[in-house]
Amino acid sequence: ERAYKPVSYVDQMAIHFTLNGNMILKDSDEGRRQSIRLSTAAEKAPIETSAVTYEEEEIKDEESTGDTEVAGVEEAEGPGAAEAAEAAEAEEPPPPRVKEQKLANQFNFIERASRTLNNPMRERASQSEPTPCKTFSATANQWKIYDAYVEELQKMERSKEKEKPKAQIAKREEEKKKGRKLTTLELQSDDINKISKAAKIMERMVNQNTFDDIAQDFKYFEDASDEYRDQQGTLLPLWKFQYEKTKRLAVTAISWNPKYKDLFAVGYGSYDFMKQGQGMLLLYTMKNPSFPEYVFSSESGIMCLDFHNDHPYLVAVGFYDGNVAIYNLKKATSQPSYKSSAKSGKHTEPVWQVKWQKDDMDNNLNFFSVSSDGRIVSWTLVKNELVHTDVIKLSVEGTTMQGPEGLQLQTFGCGTSFDFHKKIDYLFLVGTEEGKIYKCSKCYSSQFLDVFEAHHMAVDSVSWNPYHLKVFISCSSDWTVKIWDHTIKTPMFIYDLNSAVGDVAWSPYSSTVFAAVTTDGKAHVFDLSINKYEALCTQLVVSKKKNKITHIQFNPVYPVVIIGDERGHVTSLKLSPNLRRMPKAKKGQEVKKGPEVEIAKLDKLLSLVREPESQA
């Protein structure tokens, strides 16, 4: 309400800790009664010789507190009795004094036998404290046996600890006697581990000096000629990432890390059915373009990957042989931490896309995969094992085949891509090899919510708009990119790019900007708010005839896109100002930003498209 308000009462005291005590005052009525009772019990009980030494030790600790009973007797006898007592002390040694008993509150008293941690019951049975009841003698003996066992176990543990250093020294001496080559290798590896971090920093510094002009362009360069291009833009090439062992492999997947904005993962494999072999997973950073940060090799080609949003060190990967796996970047191993198998329900065809989802009800990690075998599978990490659940099977209507002996065999659709809704958790889209897009729900495993007759060839990519809840985009090998409203069966926008479209991606900074790559080596950037009919930028990225572009991804923070090709190269390019134009402010008003503005901007475009349709 933007105003100060009076508060009638504020409690300024906060109690952080409260503990009920079990002691009572000596001067209270209950304290006097207990002290008289304990003193009379001590006079009647015989003092054993074995207890004398124990009581003398206790007296030393409690000399500061004094003896309340002796002080009371001295006051009653008077000054004459005190002089006689001093003379007696000088002639004879002082008698052993009984240990002063602590006065316990009978209504708030915790004892060892009353605790649930110690199973057997026990009553105090020490020499200075005689047991009041004979029925507890058996339990006291049980506690003595228990204490003896505990002491013996502690002795055994101490002896083991003493023997450990002796055994280690003996092993070192044996290694020295056997040979010195092993020890030198081990020492070298230890030294390398110590200086690896410093070497990595030095490598980045050297690379920054080597590619200083590119680093300056990335940080500061803005193409001033955009002002004279009539809303057209360009892509400025920055770093090129390549690795010797991936020259004959194609870039099959790209994904930016959600936490470290300069780090991205690249999956390598082959789209050629006849040229299948090994695959690789590399992680590059823009701080060091000359060499990857992480290198993982696999027996089968990697076809897709995805970073976990909450755990950015976990990477889900799909392989050409139908397996899925999880790589943990924290572990210094070249093999995946978890991997599926034929026993755990792996796919029978290549896995074309994987996506992390929210954890299940038991907080187990969960991701989904789509494959050419027509199955969308949910993988859950339970007790260090991947457990699969078939979410849906892509059955194709009206395509039953005649099998042997008159059997009707139902054929399944080949899933090629999918994407989950950003807000509605159960809703997702699946693109198929037949060109159809299925709108599905996690709740229904046998039927679809809707079917879009989207393309004439395989759907290579499908993706929801990051801002608008109804809009999604798809691309296909039939040369087209289409933008849809999932409540309408016909596309809102259709773009023919004159070549097979390999991938399409929405920009993270605007609801109307997207980019697509085609097999003729070109990258296309569109902004619907500026031009609804043509691309603002169409630029050749790969010049070689035998090379094709496969994937494109926007950086979540910087005005940069990365593009992968079939030769294993990843090229980073910077968007010119015309390709990332923000809305202009009116006179006397501030520029409005945020998801609501982006949604309104796209809604306005969609309404313009719907009006001619309604009139027709």
Side-chain angles (χ1 to χ4, degrees):
E1 295 180 13
R2 307 177 69 86
Y4 290 102
K5 286 192 168 185
V7 179
S8 59
Y9 172 73
V10 178
D11 189 4
Q12 301 291 347
M13 185 178 72
I15 300 172
H16 296 287
F17 178 73
T18 304
L19 178 66
N20 295 324
N22 60 0
M23 307 304 292
I24 59 175
L25 292 171
K26 293 180 181 179
D27 299 334
S28 64
D29 296 337
E30 179 64 23
R32 292 193 190 94
R33 281 197 293 270
Q34 285 197 32
S35 60
I36 294 167
R37 196 184 305 120
L38 289 171
S39 60
T40 53
E43 289 173 2
K44 293 179 182 178
I47 300 171
E48 299 179 4
T49 54
S50 60
V52 173
T53 55
Y54 175 80
E55 294 300 334
E56 287 176 352
E57 291 175 359
E58 294 293 328
I59 289 163
K60 292 178 182 178
D61 297 333
E62 298 188 6
E63 281 179 355
S64 60
T65 59
D67 191 356
T68 56
E69 294 179 6
V70 174
V73 171
E74 287 177 355
E75 289 175 3
E77 289 179 353
E83 291 176 3
E86 287 176 4
E89 284 178 3
E91 294 176 0
E92 297 179 2
R97 287 185 291 177
V98 180
K99 177 188 172 183
E100 182 184 358
Q101 299 295 327
K102 291 181 178 180
L103 307 180
N105 187 348
Q106 301 295 331
F107 299 98
N108 187 9
F109 180 64
I110 297 173
E111 196 183 20
R112 181 179 180 183
S114 66
R115 295 176 185 172
T116 55
L117 181 66
N118 303 317
N119 293 326
M121 296 291 291
R122 181 183 184 181
E123 184 75 17
R124 288 189 180 178
S126 61
Q127 292 168 345
S128 60
E129 297 175 6
T131 53
C133 185
K134 294 180 180 180
T135 56
F136 290 99
S137 60
T139 55
N141 291 330
Q142 289 176 8
W143 273 108
K144 287 179 182 178
I145 296 168
Y146 173 78
D147 292 339
Y149 272 107
V150 171
E151 288 178 6
E152 188 65 27
L153 287 170
Q154 289 175 353
K155 287 179 182 178
M156 290 171 67
E157 287 176 0
R158 287 174 198 151
S159 61
K160 285 179 182 178
E161 288 176 0
K162 289 179 182 178
E163 290 175 0
K164 277 183 182 178
K166 293 179 181 178
Q168 290 175 357
I169 293 166
K171 281 183 181 179
R172 288 175 188 170
E173 290 177 354
E174 287 178 4
E175 287 175 359
K176 288 179 182 178
K177 289 178 182 177
K178 285 180 181 179
R180 297 185 179 277
K181 289 184 179 180
L182 291 173
T183 54
T184 53
L185 288 171
E186 288 174 359
L187 289 171
Q188 286 177 1
S189 65
D190 291 340
D191 293 338
I192 290 168
N193 290 331
K194 288 178 181 177
I195 65 168
S196 61
K197 189 175 182 180
K200 186 177 285 187
I201 294 170
M202 288 295 297
E203 185 183 19
R204 290 183 179 182
M205 292 170 68
V206 170
N207 275 289
Q208 190 173 354
N209 292 331
T210 306
F211 302 104
D212 182 60
D213 53 344
I214 298 176
Q216 295 291 332
D217 289 344
F218 163 72
K219 190 72 177 175
Y220 301 111
F221 180 76
E222 300 292 352
D223 195 351
S225 60
D226 271 17
E227 297 178 6
Y228 310 101
R229 283 204 179 96
D230 191 22
Q231 299 179 342
Q232 296 293 313
T234 57
L235 295 172
L236 175 68
L238 296 175
W239 300 281
K240 193 172 185 177
F241 303 86
Q242 55 188 0
Y243 187 56
E244 290 183 2
K245 295 181 180 180
T246 60
K247 285 182 178 179
R248 296 182 180 180
L249 297 174
V251 175
T252 53
I254 300 175
S255 180
W256 288 97
N257 190 283
K259 183 178 180 181
Y260 302 100
K261 308 305 180 182
D262 61 309
L263 186 71
F264 62 93
V266 185
Y268 292 89
S270 176
Y271 287 117
D272 192 344
F273 176 75
M274 302 299 292
K275 295 180 181 179
Q276 287 301 318
Q278 292 185 345
M280 295 198 78
L281 172 63
L282 303 183
L283 278 89
Y284 286 101
T285 175
M286 292 193 291
K287 296 175 182 176
N288 181 13
S290 63
F291 198 81
E293 295 290 302
Y294 298 89
V295 179
F296 301 97
S297 58
S298 60
E299 295 177 358
S300 179
I302 292 174
M303 307 311 293
C304 53
L305 59 89
D306 189 33
F307 277 106
H308 197 288
N309 198 36
D310 298 328
H311 307 285
Y313 53 88
L314 295 179
V315 186
V317 173
F319 296 97
Y320 189 86
D321 62 1
N323 278 312
V324 294
I326 298 175
Y327 285 87
N328 190 343
L329 303 182
K330 286 186 174 182
K331 294 184 179 180
T333 58
S334 59
Q335 298 302 316
S337 300
Y338 314 101
K339 191 175 181 180
S340 65
S341 62
K343 186 179 178 182
S344 62
K346 79 177 189 72
H347 291 281
T348 56
E349 296 287 336
V351 181
W352 293 113
Q353 200 162 358
V354 291
K355 286 278 186 183
W356 285 102
Q357 285 296 289
K358 293 179 181 178
D359 297 350
D360 64 2
M361 299 295 288
D362 297 325
N363 292 326
N364 295 317
L365 297 175
N366 179 35
F367 70 93
F368 284 67
S369 63
V370 63
S371 170
S372 298
D373 61 2
R375 295 164 58 210
I376 287 92
V377 180
S378 170
W379 299 91
T380 308
L381 188 61
V382 181
K383 295 181 179 179
N384 296 328
E385 289 185 3
L386 285 173
V387 179
H388 83 286
T389 305
D390 286 356
V391 177
I392 199 168
K393 290 185 178 180
L394 302 174
S395 57
V396 182
E397 295 179 1
T399 56
T400 55
M401 294 175 61
Q402 191 73 21
E405 300 179 0
L407 293 174
Q408 295 291 326
L409 300 177
Q410 188 178 10
T411 58
F412 291 98
C414 300
T416 55
S417 59
F418 71 154
D419 192 27
F420 288 86
H421 199 275
K422 303 296 186 289
K423 297 290 183 182
I424 306 171
D425 184 56
Y426 62 84
L427 189 64
F428 64 98
L429 300 167
V430 182
T432 62
E433 208 169 280
E434 296 81 23
K436 295 181 180 180
I437 296 176
Y438 295 96
K439 184 166 72 171
C440 307
S441 171
K442 294 178 185 178
C443 305
Y444 304 105
S445 59
S446 59
Q447 58 184 347
F448 311 116
L449 300 179
D450 209 346
V451 181
F452 299 90
E453 299 290 341
H455 297 275
H456 301 291
M457 296 181 71
V459 180
D460 293 322
S461 178
V462 60
S463 177
W464 289 99
N465 189 284
Y467 294 98
H468 203 289
L469 301 180
K470 291 184 179 181
V471 178
F472 68 91
I473 194 169
S474 65
C475 71
S476 170
S477 301
D478 65 357
W479 299 9
T480 61
V481 173
K482 297 183 181 182
I483 297 175
W484 305 77
D485 184 330
H486 78 87
T487 60
I488 303 172
K489 284 290 190 90
T490 56
M492 310 299 289
F493 297 96
I494 302 175
Y495 300 98
D496 191 340
L497 302 184
N498 299 321
S499 186
V501 185
D503 195 12
V504 67
W506 290 106
S507 74
Y509 55 84
S510 175
S511 63
T512 57
V513 177
F514 65 92
V517 290
T518 51
T519 53
D520 59 356
K522 293 180 181 179
H524 310 261
V525 183
F526 292 80
D527 190 345
L528 302 177
S529 63
I530 296 173
N531 193 333
K532 299 191 292 291
Y533 307 105
E534 294 178 351
L536 298 184
C537 173
T538 300
Q539 186 168 319
L540 189 69
V541 179
V542 176
S543 59
K544 294 181 181 179
K545 292 181 180 179
K546 293 183 179 180
N547 198 0
K548 297 177 183 178
I549 297 178
T550 56
H551 288 279
I552 184 169
Q553 281 290 323
F554 282 87
N555 186 283
V557 174
Y558 306 114
V560 172
V561 292
I562 49 175
I563 295 173
D565 57 38
E566 283 194 340
R567 294 293 181 89
H569 300 154
V570 178
T571 307
S572 59
L573 302 104
K574 185 177 182 180
L575 300 164
S576 67
N578 277 357
L579 302 181
R580 46 190 169 91
R581 186 175 292 174
M582 303 304 291
K584 293 181 179 179
K586 295 180 181 180
K587 290 183 179 180
Q589 294 182 0
E590 295 182 357
V591 178
K592 293 182 179 180
K593 297 180 181 179
E596 295 177 358
V597 177
E598 296 297 331
I599 292 167
K601 186 167 63 173
L602 192 53
D603 260 335
K604 186 178 179 181
L605 287 167
L606 295 176
S607 63
L608 293 173
V609 175
R610 290 178 189 135
E611 281 177 7
E613 289 181 357
S614 61
Q615 290 173 3

